[in-house]
């Protein structure tokens, strides 16, 4: 079965550079979530989109922005990168919550993008 | 979203049942209990979820107490590949708030 695809898998950037992470959800999934996991930390929710509209927002820095496109893929844009942004970034997708009965809010995660800021 | 409490680590012998407890005493009536696991920096993997009733699927069983203040995830026959961090999450809205989880070590 098709899974959540994230690209790139690894990314190395210098401080103050920008980075764009991409996420392709499971076909027919209309909701996308972004999570950040720092070294030795647990995943932290950043932001989510449902039907191309932002549905919830967590502790996402102002330097980060994200959007969901008409084909439901999503991009996380990160500017003025800092050393502390080095982390694993996971994307997850699900069916629109409230529409899927018992499948409500089952999130399927991609393999992640490992961002290293030097 | 309600806060959960899990033991930081547990060990289990291969082939035995692994019983992972979770306390969620402040859970509200419309919040579900979800279990996810993360195997060494891979993306978290959904295991099972429930609201009030006990649930079972091909991976695990979920036992929720009648007052819903705690639950137990049961892996009936643990294998070495079940070594992972297991997260118990209670949520109604769509975002998942990960706590510190339980690091399960399955040994031969």
């Amino acid at each position: 079965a098709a899974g959540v695809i994230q690209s790139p898998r690894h990314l190395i950037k210098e401080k103050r550079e920008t980075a764009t992470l991409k996420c392709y959800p499971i076909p027919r999934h209309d909701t996308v979530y972004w999570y950040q996991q720092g070294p030795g930390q647990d995943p932290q929710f950043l932001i989510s989109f449902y039907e191309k509209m932002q549905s919830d927002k967590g502790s996402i820095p102002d330097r980060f922005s994200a959007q969901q496109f008409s084909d439901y893929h999503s991009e996380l844009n990160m500017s003025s990168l800092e050393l502390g942004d080095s982390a694993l970034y996971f994307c997850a997708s699900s069916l629109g919550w409230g529409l899927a009965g018992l499948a409500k809010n089952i999130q399927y995660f991609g393999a992640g993008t490992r961002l290293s800021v030097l | 979203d309600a806060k959960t409490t899990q033991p930081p680590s547990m060990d289990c012998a291969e082939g035995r049942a692994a019983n992972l407890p979770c306390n969620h005493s402040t859970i509200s009536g419309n919040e579900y209990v979800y279990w996810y696991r993360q195997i060494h920096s891979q993306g978290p993997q959904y295991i099972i979820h429930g609201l009030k009733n006990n649930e079972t699927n091909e991976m695990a069983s979920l036992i929720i107490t009648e007052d819903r203040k705690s639950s137990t995830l049961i892996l009936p026959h643990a294998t070495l590949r079940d070594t992972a961090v297991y997260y118990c999450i209670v949520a109604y809205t769509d975002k998942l708030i990960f706590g510190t989880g339980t690091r399960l070590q399955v040994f031969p």
Side-chain angles (χ1 to χ4, degrees):
Chain A
V4 177
I5 305 297
Q6 290 188 246
S7 67
R9 291 295 312 279
H10 303 273
L11 190 58
I12 300 175
K13 291 287 185 178
E14 300 275 343
K15 279 172 50 178
R16 292 180 290 276
E17 285 190 323
T18 62
T20 298
L21 279 54
K22 296 185 179 182
C23 170
Y24 297 87
I26 291 171
R28 296 196 309 115
H29 281 193
D30 51 16
T31 307
V32 169
Y33 314 80
W34 287 96
Y35 294 83
Q36 177 192 57
Q37 185 173 27
Q41 303 294 313
D42 303 297
Q44 299 293 316
F45 171 75
L46 291 178
I47 196 167
S48 62
F49 293 86
Y50 167 63
E51 283 290 345
K52 292 152 280 184
M53 298 289 289
Q54 181 181 307
S55 55
D56 205 345
K57 194 172 181 179
S59 50
I60 183 170
D62 292 341
R63 298 177 290 107
F64 293 7
S65 65
Q67 58 182 323
Q68 186 179 31
F69 294 86
S70 58
D71 64 350
Y72 296 105
H73 94 273
S74 178
E75 295 183 3
L76 177 65
N77 299 292
M78 311 159 71
S79 64
S80 302
L81 287 169
E82 302 174 356
L83 297 178
D85 296 329
S86 295
L88 273 167
Y89 290 83
F90 292 108
C91 172
S93 74
S94 73
L95 289 169
W97 77 284
L99 302 177
L102 285 176
K104 174 176 173 175
N105 200 28
I106 296 175
Q107 296 184 27
Y108 297 87
F109 285 75
T113 294
R114 183 176 295 278
L115 172 66
S116 298
V117 181
L118 306 179
Chain B
D1 294 331
K3 184 177 179 180
T4 60
T5 303
Q6 299 178 250
S9 64
M10 295 182 65
D11 290 337
C12 180
E14 190 176 20
R16 304 296 295 269
N19 297 281
L20 289 82
C22 179
N23 182 285
H24 32 79
S25 58
T26 58
I27 191 170
S28 60
N30 57 1
E31 288 183 313
Y32 284 76
V33 179
Y34 295 87
W35 283 83
Y36 283 77
R37 72 181 182 184
Q38 187 175 29
I39 299 172
H40 189 58
S41 296
Q42 296 179 19
Q45 178 188 23
Y46 165 80
I47 301 173
I48 199 167
H49 76 289
L51 183 62
K52 296 179 182 178
N53 301 320
N54 298 336
E55 302 288 344
T56 295
N57 63 20
E58 65 278 3
M59 288 183 68
S61 294
L62 174 60
I63 308 298
I64 302 174
T65 58
E66 192 170 342
D67 63 7
R68 303 213 320 128
K69 293 185 177 181
S70 65
S71 61
T72 301
L73 178 74
I74 301 172
L75 306 179
H77 305 286
T79 70
L80 298 178
R81 288 176 295 181
D82 292 323
T83 293
V85 178
Y86 287 77
Y87 294 99
C88 169
I89 301 168
V90 293
Y92 176 72
T93 58
D94 54 357
K95 66 186 177 189
L96 298 177
I97 306 299
F98 289 82
T100 53
T102 295
R103 185 172 298 277
L104 176 68
Q105 179 69 53
V106 181
F107 57 91

